[in-house]
Amino acid sequence: MDQQTPGPLDQGELIQELGQALVSATPEGWQQLTYLARVIGALNDDMLAVQGADGQVGQVPVPDGARAAAEALKQRCYQEGKGTWLSMIVSVHHTGKVNIEYNYDTEPELTREPSPLAYAQELERYPREDGVLPDWIRAKLDQARTLDTGAMTRAIGAALVAACSREGLVAEHRPPTGLRVALPDGSVLLDTDMRTTFDQALIMPEDQWEGLAAHFAGYVAQVAREREAAPAASSGASVPPAPSGQSVPVDPADTVATALAAAFRELGVEVSFQDPNTMIVPMPNGNTASADIGSFRTAMDGAAPEQVTEHATGFARNVAEQLERATRQGTEPAGELRVRLYPASAFPEGVLEQLVSREIAPGLWQTVVVDSPESLQPLSRQAHESSGRSDAEVFAAAVSASLADPVEVTEHDINGTRLVHIGGQHPYVAAHVHDLARHVGEAPHGALVVLPVPEVVIAHPLGQAHPVAAMENLREVAQRFAADAEKPISTQLYWWHPSSRTREQSAPADLRPVGVEIDHEKGSITLHTSDQEFGPLLSSLMGQ
């Protein structure tokens, strides 16, 4: 499996949404949860296991909203010609640490063996170039080619038409995957492409088609009865946007709006709609907030009615929780600011400009993050600018809070080199480079520093051992840490300039890249640095 780094990348919001949905299903005192999602074509096979306070692990139902977030994350991870993941494992620790492993190429272990058409659907949705196609997927595709999907699709359409007829509705299958449903008087209830429903039926056993069709027809019939009870604009007429501050009635034929209104009603919230894509939600403090549901509509296009209902429930819960947190802001913080260090390679082009971040050394970027019990997310520049605080104020608060987090400082002797090890159980230890003078003591020549992983800083005060030997020892230690880490930062060696001692604590330290190459056979030393001060300093220390 390929391990991916969540958080500062463009997947961050979806990962947060998924994490929040999963945590909502956990019992009090939970320690860790593990979510396994296998999404292949129209197949979604998942499970959620939770470790409780007593250490016992048990399976719990997957909460509303998790599947929609997982499917959206799968789409976001698609790489042209390479496809996207087939399965993923999400682990969430009660401290908020999240780890995600994606499987792109290994055949997933499934609860039941799906139709090979699931893999044909997968390749149609997320194409892969022939050169990166695993042999086992080729075999599945060969099996799928032996199936008559045209005949199967016609049979599914016939089952839907028959089920609607039993409910007193008039339905017409419009090949390949269209369906029109109307009342006996000709009033249209539904006229749409139902490809998602057809795709799901195609990978189901044939004896389950009738049950799927009956469930769908029952839902549409219920909508029709509600429409008769509360007349509204016909589905053939467009509903104009309401004037600002007003709302339009919910058209019972609008399955998305109807499902959302019902989902919010279950939570004790009566929503209204300013236009088809703008929902008005009353807030706990008496105010109202508008929510754009356009993307939700797009995601639900062609979805089966039961899918719309399920996703609407998760959507409603997430919106309600977010509004409640927003109402509490000013009395209860939504999260605490911290600074976290990343290599420049962790960010796709253009992402850094969207975050509150700064380069503290060549190749190293410090980003302000919001740490809450539910998630850890980078602070976007848009959210920061709306706060009215300057960058300096935000970084000062985040650095101070990071330095207040507990760390353990120990000293070690490696081949005669004194190393100061600063470590912690959180990813903000690198902030201690701002306060390195407190840890290294007297260091008139500065110190050598490595920041191999988020949880560790290692330093050597120059002048207390042979500098070249210290550089070699420190580099080897950094390489060992990085090799064992899931999310390494850098094995680069930096010179912490002594002028850093007099800087404001919130200001970046003066870190200058240095390196040394030693040929023990020839007895030669090559210094790698563009800094004009370090070379003479190194020579003087070697002469001592």
Side-chain angles (χ1 to χ4, degrees):
M1 288 193 178
D2 297 328
Q3 292 187 345
Q4 302 287 334
T5 303
L9 310 184
D10 61 347
Q11 304 161 12
E13 292 183 2
L14 290 174
I15 293 172
Q16 180 181 19
E17 179 182 341
L18 175 60
Q20 290 175 342
L22 295 173
V23 170
S24 70
T26 57
E28 186 176 354
W30 69 280
Q31 298 299 301
Q32 182 162 321
L33 63 83
T34 302
Y35 175 59
L36 170 60
R38 293 152 292 197
V39 184
I40 305 167
L43 173 71
N44 193 321
D45 184 9
D46 58 4
M47 60 84 67
L48 176 60
V50 179
Q51 181 184 35
D54 58 0
Q56 298 296 312
V57 178
Q59 190 169 334
V60 298
V62 177
D64 297 320
R67 290 188 179 95
E71 290 176 354
L73 187 58
K74 178 182 175 77
Q75 182 177 3
R76 188 72 60 84
C77 290
Y78 173 67
Q79 300 179 54
E80 185 174 357
K82 297 181 180 179
T84 184
W85 52 267
L86 303 172
S87 64
M88 73 170 175
I89 299 176
V90 182
S91 300
V92 183
H93 193 262
H94 70 92
T95 59
K97 182 180 180 181
V98 179
N99 184 66
I100 300 184
E101 297 181 13
Y102 297 128
N103 166 38
Y104 284 80
D105 300 314
T106 303
E107 183 174 2
E109 295 183 7
L110 301 167
T111 304
R112 61 175 177 82
E113 180 65 24
S115 165
L117 289 174
Y119 296 93
Q121 293 170 352
E122 175 71 17
L123 269 293
E124 184 177 355
R125 298 179 183 189
Y126 304 106
R128 297 189 184 204
E129 295 176 355
D130 188 69
V132 298
L133 203 60
D135 290 340
W136 66 270
I137 291 185
R138 296 179 194 275
K140 299 286 186 183
L141 296 178
D142 289 341
Q143 296 173 26
R145 293 187 188 100
T146 66
L147 301 176
D148 188 347
T149 55
M152 295 170 69
T153 299
R154 289 191 294 273
I156 294 166
L160 288 166
V161 170
C164 288
S165 179
R166 288 191 292 270
E167 292 286 349
L169 304 172
V170 180
E172 177 189 358
H173 174 213
R174 297 181 171 181
T177 56
L179 191 72
R180 184 179 188 272
V181 183
L183 293 171
D185 64 5
S187 300
V188 177
L189 294 172
L190 182 73
D191 190 354
T192 187
D193 185 351
M194 295 182 55
R195 179 173 178 177
T196 299
T197 300
F198 276 81
D199 280 353
Q200 289 179 333
L202 283 170
I203 65 174
M204 295 168 58
E206 185 175 347
D207 59 7
Q208 295 182 13
W209 292 351
E210 186 174 341
L212 174 67
H215 186 83
F216 166 80
Y219 180 87
V220 176
Q222 178 184 350
V223 171
R225 288 190 291 270
E226 292 176 353
R227 179 174 183 173
E228 292 176 355
S234 69
S235 60
S238 61
V239 180
S244 179
Q246 301 182 25
S247 61
V248 296
V250 177
D251 182 356
D254 185 343
T255 56
V256 170
T258 301
L260 286 172
F264 276 95
R265 193 173 297 117
E266 286 292 321
L267 300 176
V269 179
E270 289 292 336
V271 299
S272 57
F273 296 85
Q274 184 173 327
D275 58 58
N277 290 326
T278 306
M279 183 173 62
I280 307 300
V281 186
M283 297 177 67
N285 62 2
N287 295 324
T288 60
S290 62
D292 183 355
I293 62 170
S295 58
F296 182 81
R297 281 190 181 278
T298 300
M300 293 297 99
D301 184 28
E306 61 271 20
Q307 287 183 303
V308 176
T309 300
E310 177 186 348
H311 295 324
T313 300
F315 182 91
R317 288 182 177 175
N318 285 336
V319 170
E321 290 173 1
Q322 291 170 13
L323 290 179
E324 184 179 357
R325 285 197 296 270
T327 304
R328 293 198 308 260
Q329 283 183 356
T331 57
E332 297 180 23
E336 297 182 355
L337 298 181
R338 297 290 191 275
V339 286
R340 183 167 177 177
L341 201 61
Y342 294 97
S345 59
F347 301 95
E349 185 178 355
V351 170
L352 278 170
E353 289 78 2
Q354 302 173 28
L355 307 177
V356 180
S357 59
R358 61 186 179 185
E359 189 175 29
I360 66 168
L364 291 183
W365 284 81
Q366 188 180 66
T367 301
V368 176
V369 298
V370 181
D371 189 339
S372 70
E374 295 84 11
S375 64
L376 186 160
Q377 289 297 312
L379 178 62
S380 70
R381 185 151 294 281
Q382 181 179 6
H384 160 57
E385 290 174 352
S386 66
S387 71
R389 293 200 289 177
S390 66
D391 282 16
E393 290 176 307
V394 171
F395 271 109
V399 169
S400 177
S402 299
L403 291 175
D405 286 334
V407 294
E408 182 178 356
V409 182
T410 56
E411 294 191 11
H412 306 267
D413 185 285
I414 305 296
N415 299 324
T417 300
R418 176 197 171 206
L419 297 183
V420 179
H421 177 282
I422 308 165
Q425 300 299 314
H426 54 81
Y428 314 122
V429 176
H432 282 263
V433 76
H434 289 267
D435 197 25
L436 198 61
R438 179 165 61 93
H439 301 300
V440 299
E442 291 294 328
H445 307 296
L448 298 172
V449 181
V450 289
L451 305 134
V453 294
E455 299 84 5
V456 171
V457 175
I458 307 172
H460 165 73
L462 282 168
Q464 298 184 7
H466 193 286
V468 173
M471 293 176 73
E472 185 176 33
N473 290 331
L474 200 52
R475 182 183 61 186
E476 291 178 356
V477 171
Q479 290 173 342
R480 288 200 297 269
F481 268 100
D484 295 336
E486 294 179 1
K487 305 175 182 68
I489 297 177
S490 174
T491 59
Q492 174 64 55
L493 191 63
Y494 293 94
W495 176 33
W496 181 79
H497 193 274
S499 65
S500 301
R501 185 183 297 271
T502 60
R503 294 191 174 193
E504 292 288 336
Q505 188 179 75
S506 61
D510 186 354
L511 298 176
R512 307 182 184 185
V514 295
V516 66
E517 185 177 342
I518 304 174
D519 188 328
H520 291 282
E521 292 184 1
K522 297 181 179 180
S524 63
I525 299 173
T526 303
L527 180 65
H528 298 287
T529 182
S530 59
D531 186 75
Q532 297 181 353
E533 294 184 50
F534 188 73
L537 172 64
L538 190 66
S539 298
S540 66
L541 293 175
M542 290 173 63
Q544 290 182 352

